[in-house]
Amino acid sequence: MSDPARPVPTDGPSPFPVLFRDARFLVIDKPPGLAVHAGPAGGPSVEDAFPLLSRRPDGPWLAHRLDRDTSGCLLIALRKQPLLAAQAAFARGQARKTYWAIVRGRPAADSGTVAMTMAKQSDQRGWRMVEAPTGQDSRTAWRVLATDGHLSWLELRLLTGRTHQARLHCASLGCPILGDPIYGEATGRDSSMLHLMSRALALPLEPPVSAVAPPPDHIRAALARLPALRGGPDGD
């Protein structure tokens, strides 16, 4: 499997691999298991590194979010005006967000689109997203990249940006993401970590922003067990 993603040198120290950087933005390769911000419970987060990334008084800022256990492309704005431009692109659905997921089972087709309205549901065990008629619209285009019948490698194009969208949509296909304790089973050696990553991110700004992240070790190990695609996922 080829891997076009390569860290780009930065002008200053960064505790994360940097996939893209210019005067406006950087895209880091967020590791799995690290929150993007501390939240009410506190703890380590990507934002802890912000003083290392820029000393400007008007930044940096998170331009979007990734779940704690999701790895890959995370966009950080280094200035306020680029932040507003990126947020507008996300809000208008102009950002191209590509995810990779290793799921249990195999979808009934080779590709398709999941569309549903989603809402948050809370109970004594915590909260989760569910399909609900009064929720927010959500859409994900997906295709199977490889499968052995027991596990499948899916490419997901998130056409909207709802909380836990990729996780709920995969589960709705009857194929929960490996290692997902909320929408599937997280048992056994192979499912100790969530097998979901933000593989690529592109924004049609001027100049454009584009980055591709390499799979983390636990996803790479799962990919190695699946049948190789003819030509590979990147067409080489």
Side-chain angles (χ1 to χ4, degrees):
M1 180 182 65
S2 70
D3 195 347
R6 293 291 184 272
V8 177
T10 66
D11 296 330
S14 172
F16 312 108
V18 176
L19 307 171
F20 172 94
R21 183 163 190 162
D22 64 12
R24 307 162 299 156
F25 301 104
L26 59 86
V27 180
I28 66 166
D29 184 6
K30 187 189 86 65
L34 181 68
V36 295
H37 56 81
S45 72
V46 170
E47 287 184 331
D48 294 340
F50 276 10
L52 298 175
L53 303 179
S54 174
R55 293 190 176 95
R56 292 179 59 92
D58 61 339
W61 288 276
L62 294 166
H64 66 135
R65 302 288 191 270
L66 291 179
D67 288 349
R68 176 191 298 271
D69 295 324
T70 302
S71 66
C73 297
L74 180 68
L75 181 67
I76 296 170
L78 299 175
R79 303 180 187 178
K80 187 62 175 290
Q81 288 305 313
L83 171 69
L84 298 176
Q87 289 176 331
F90 280 110
R92 291 193 294 262
Q94 295 175 327
R96 184 177 180 89
K97 299 171 287 183
T98 303
Y99 281 61
W100 279 359
I102 308 297
V103 302
R104 292 192 180 278
R106 192 202 192 290
D110 291 333
S111 63
T113 300
V114 176
M116 67 170 65
T117 50
M118 299 172 55
K120 181 181 287 189
Q121 181 182 82
S122 300
D123 57 29
Q124 66 274 15
R125 296 172 298 177
W127 66 269
R128 59 186 288 150
M129 301 301 292
V130 298
E131 185 171 10
T134 57
Q136 294 181 301
D137 290 335
S138 63
R139 291 174 293 117
T140 299
W142 59 271
R143 65 182 178 123
V144 178
L145 296 180
T147 185
D148 63 4
H150 301 288
L151 297 178
S152 296
W153 171 16
L154 302 187
E155 179 185 82
L156 311 172
R157 279 267 291 111
L158 272 62
L159 306 176
T160 53
R162 310 306 180 199
T163 300
H164 288 190
Q165 175 175 320
R167 297 166 68 174
L168 178 58
H169 285 189
C170 286
S172 75
L173 295 172
C175 299
I177 297 174
L178 199 63
D180 192 334
I182 299 178
Y183 305 97
E185 290 187 66
T187 59
R189 179 177 59 84
D190 289 337
S191 54
S192 59
M193 300 179 71
L194 185 70
H195 285 60
L196 176 67
M197 67 171 295
S198 173
R199 168 63 171 173
L201 178 67
L203 278 76
L205 302 177
E206 186 55 48
V209 175
S210 181
V212 180
D217 289 345
H218 67 292
I219 293 181
R220 189 180 295 275
L223 294 177
R225 301 200 305 270
L226 292 172
L229 291 177
R230 286 183 298 173
D234 301 305
D236 53 356

Coordinates of all heavy atoms in Angstrom, one line a residue, residues 160-196:
T160 N -21.5 15.8 5.5 CA -21.9 16.7 6.5 C -20.9 16.4 7.7 O -20.1 15.5 7.6 CB -23.4 16.5 7.0 OG1 -23.5 15.1 7.3 CG2 -24.4 16.9 5.9
G161 N -21.1 17.2 8.8 CA -20.1 17.1 9.9 C -20.7 16.9 11.2 O -20.5 17.7 12.1
R162 N -21.6 15.9 11.4 CA -22.2 15.7 12.7 C -21.4 14.9 13.6 O -20.5 14.1 13.2 CB -23.6 14.9 12.5 CG -24.5 15.5 11.4 CD -24.7 17.0 11.6 NE -25.6 17.5 10.5 CZ -25.7 18.8 10.2 NH1 -25.0 19.7 10.9 NH2 -26.5 19.2 9.3
T163 N -21.6 15.1 14.9 CA -20.9 14.3 16.0 C -21.1 12.8 15.8 O -22.3 12.4 15.6 CB -21.4 14.8 17.4 OG1 -21.2 16.2 17.5 CG2 -20.7 14.0 18.4
H164 N -20.1 12.1 15.8 CA -20.1 10.6 15.7 C -20.8 10.1 14.4 O -21.2 9.0 14.3 CB -20.8 10.0 16.9 CG -20.1 10.0 18.1 ND1 -20.5 9.3 19.3 CD2 -18.9 10.6 18.5 CE1 -19.6 9.5 20.2 NE2 -18.6 10.3 19.8
Q165 N -20.7 11.0 13.4 CA -21.4 10.6 12.1 C -20.9 9.4 11.5 O -21.6 8.4 11.1 CB -21.3 11.8 11.1 CG -21.9 11.5 9.7 CD -21.8 12.7 8.8 OE1 -22.1 13.8 9.2 NE2 -21.5 12.4 7.5
A166 N -19.6 9.3 11.3 CA -19.0 8.1 10.7 C -19.3 6.8 11.5 O -19.6 5.8 10.9 CB -17.5 8.3 10.5
R167 N -19.2 6.9 12.8 CA -19.4 5.8 13.7 C -20.9 5.3 13.6 O -21.1 4.1 13.4 CB -19.0 6.1 15.1 CG -17.6 6.5 15.2 CD -17.2 7.1 16.5 NE -17.3 6.2 17.7 CZ -16.9 6.6 18.9 NH1 -16.4 7.7 19.2 NH2 -17.1 5.7 19.9
L168 N -21.9 6.2 13.7 CA -23.3 5.8 13.6 C -23.6 5.3 12.2 O -24.3 4.3 12.0 CB -24.2 6.9 14.0 CG -25.7 6.7 13.9 CD1 -26.1 5.5 14.8 CD2 -26.5 7.9 14.3
H169 N -23.1 5.9 11.2 CA -23.4 5.5 9.8 C -22.9 4.1 9.5 O -23.5 3.3 8.8 CB -22.9 6.6 8.8 CG -23.8 7.8 8.8 ND1 -23.6 8.8 7.8 CD2 -24.8 8.2 9.5 CE1 -24.5 9.7 8.0 NE2 -25.2 9.4 9.1
C170 N -21.6 3.9 9.9 CA -21.1 2.5 9.7 C -22.0 1.5 10.4 O -22.3 0.4 9.9 CB -19.7 2.4 10.1 SG -18.5 3.3 9.0
A171 N -22.3 1.8 11.7 CA -23.2 0.8 12.4 C -24.5 0.6 11.7 O -25.0 -0.5 11.7 CB -23.4 1.4 13.8
S172 N -25.0 1.7 11.1 CA -26.3 1.5 10.4 C -26.2 0.6 9.2 O -27.3 0.1 8.7 CB -26.9 2.9 10.0 OG -26.2 3.4 8.9
L173 N -25.0 0.4 8.6 CA -24.8 -0.5 7.6 C -24.7 -2.0 8.1 O -24.6 -2.9 7.3 CB -23.5 -0.2 6.8 CG -23.5 1.2 6.0 CD1 -22.1 1.4 5.5 CD2 -24.5 1.2 4.9
G174 N -24.8 -2.1 9.4 CA -24.6 -3.5 10.0 C -23.1 -3.8 10.1 O -22.7 -4.9 10.3
C175 N -22.3 -2.8 10.0 CA -20.8 -2.9 10.0 C -20.2 -1.9 11.0 O -19.6 -0.9 10.6 CB -20.2 -2.7 8.6 SG -20.8 -3.9 7.4
P176 N -20.3 -2.1 12.3 CA -19.7 -1.2 13.3 C -18.2 -1.1 13.1 O -17.5 -2.1 12.7 CB -20.1 -1.7 14.6 CG -20.4 -3.2 14.4 CD -20.9 -3.3 13.0
I177 N -17.6 0.0 13.4 CA -16.2 0.2 13.3 C -15.5 -0.6 14.4 O -15.9 -0.6 15.6 CB -15.8 1.7 13.5 CG1 -16.4 2.5 12.3 CG2 -14.3 1.9 13.5 CD1 -16.3 4.0 12.4
L178 N -14.4 -1.3 14.0 CA -13.6 -2.1 15.0 C -13.2 -1.2 16.1 O -12.6 -0.1 15.9 CB -12.4 -2.6 14.2 CG -11.7 -3.9 14.8 CD1 -12.7 -5.1 14.9 CD2 -10.5 -4.2 14.0
G179 N -13.4 -1.7 17.3 CA -13.0 -1.0 18.5 C -13.9 0.1 19.0 O -13.6 0.9 19.9
D180 N -15.1 0.2 18.4 CA -16.1 1.2 18.9 C -16.9 0.7 20.0 O -17.8 -0.2 19.9 CB -17.0 1.6 17.7 CG -17.8 2.8 18.0 OD1 -18.1 3.1 19.1 OD2 -18.2 3.5 17.0
P181 N -16.7 1.3 21.2 CA -17.5 0.8 22.4 C -18.9 1.3 22.5 O -19.7 0.8 23.3 CB -16.6 1.3 23.6 CG -16.1 2.6 23.1 CD -15.8 2.3 21.6
I182 N -19.3 2.2 21.7 CA -20.6 2.8 21.7 C -21.5 2.2 20.7 O -22.7 1.9 21.0 CB -20.5 4.4 21.6 CG1 -19.7 5.0 22.7 CG2 -21.9 5.0 21.6 CD1 -19.5 6.5 22.6
Y183 N -21.1 2.1 19.5 CA -21.9 1.7 18.3 C -21.6 0.3 17.9 O -22.2 -0.2 16.9 CB -21.8 2.7 17.2 CG -22.1 4.1 17.6 CD1 -21.1 5.0 17.9 CD2 -23.4 4.5 17.7 CE1 -21.3 6.3 18.4 CE2 -23.7 5.8 18.2 CZ -22.6 6.7 18.5 OH -22.9 8.0 18.9
G184 N -20.7 -0.4 18.6 CA -20.3 -1.8 18.2 C -19.8 -2.5 19.4 O -20.0 -2.1 20.5
E185 N -19.0 -3.5 19.1 CA -18.3 -4.2 20.2 C -16.9 -3.8 20.2 O -16.2 -3.8 19.2 CB -18.5 -5.7 20.0 CG -19.9 -6.2 20.2 CD -19.9 -7.7 20.1 OE1 -19.3 -8.4 21.0 OE2 -20.5 -8.3 19.2
A186 N -16.3 -3.6 21.4 CA -14.9 -3.4 21.6 C -14.4 -4.4 22.5 O -14.1 -4.2 23.7 CB -14.7 -2.0 22.2
T187 N -14.2 -5.6 22.0 CA -13.7 -6.7 22.8 C -12.6 -7.4 22.0 O -12.6 -7.4 20.8 CB -14.8 -7.8 23.0 OG1 -15.4 -8.2 21.8 CG2 -16.0 -7.1 23.8
G188 N -11.7 -8.0 22.7 CA -10.6 -8.8 22.1 C -9.4 -7.9 21.7 O -9.5 -6.7 21.7
R189 N -8.3 -8.6 21.4 CA -7.1 -7.9 21.1 C -7.2 -7.0 19.9 O -6.6 -5.9 19.9 CB -6.0 -9.0 20.8 CG -4.7 -8.4 20.5 CD -3.6 -9.5 20.3 NE -4.1 -10.4 19.2 CZ -3.8 -10.2 17.9 NH1 -3.2 -9.1 17.5 NH2 -4.2 -11.0 17.0
D190 N -7.9 -7.4 18.9 CA -8.0 -6.6 17.6 C -8.8 -5.3 17.8 O -8.7 -4.4 16.9 CB -8.5 -7.4 16.5 CG -7.6 -8.5 16.0 OD1 -6.4 -8.3 16.3 OD2 -8.0 -9.5 15.5
S191 N -9.6 -5.2 18.8 CA -10.5 -4.1 18.9 C -10.3 -3.2 20.1 O -11.2 -2.6 20.6 CB -12.0 -4.6 18.9 OG -12.2 -5.5 19.9
S192 N -9.1 -3.1 20.6 CA -8.8 -2.3 21.7 C -8.7 -0.8 21.4 O -8.9 0.0 22.3 CB -7.4 -2.7 22.3 OG -6.4 -2.5 21.4
M193 N -8.6 -0.4 20.1 CA -8.6 1.0 19.7 C -9.6 1.2 18.6 O -9.8 0.2 17.8 CB -7.2 1.4 19.2 CG -6.1 1.2 20.3 SD -4.4 1.7 19.7 CE -4.6 3.5 19.5
L194 N -10.1 2.4 18.5 CA -11.0 2.7 17.4 C -10.3 2.7 16.1 O -9.3 3.5 15.9 CB -11.7 4.0 17.7 CG -12.8 4.5 16.7 CD1 -14.0 3.6 16.9 CD2 -13.1 5.9 16.9
H195 N -10.8 2.0 15.1 CA -10.1 1.9 13.8 C -10.8 2.9 12.8 O -11.4 2.5 11.8 CB -10.2 0.5 13.3 CG -9.2 -0.5 13.9 ND1 -9.3 -0.7 15.3 CD2 -8.2 -1.2 13.4 CE1 -8.3 -1.6 15.6 NE2 -7.6 -1.9 14.5
L196 N -10.6 4.2 13.1 CA -11.2 5.2 12.3 C -10.2 6.4 12.2 O -9.6 6.7 13.3 CB -12.5 5.7 12.9 CG -13.1 6.9 12.3 CD1 -13.7 6.6 10.9 CD2 -14.3 7.5 13.1

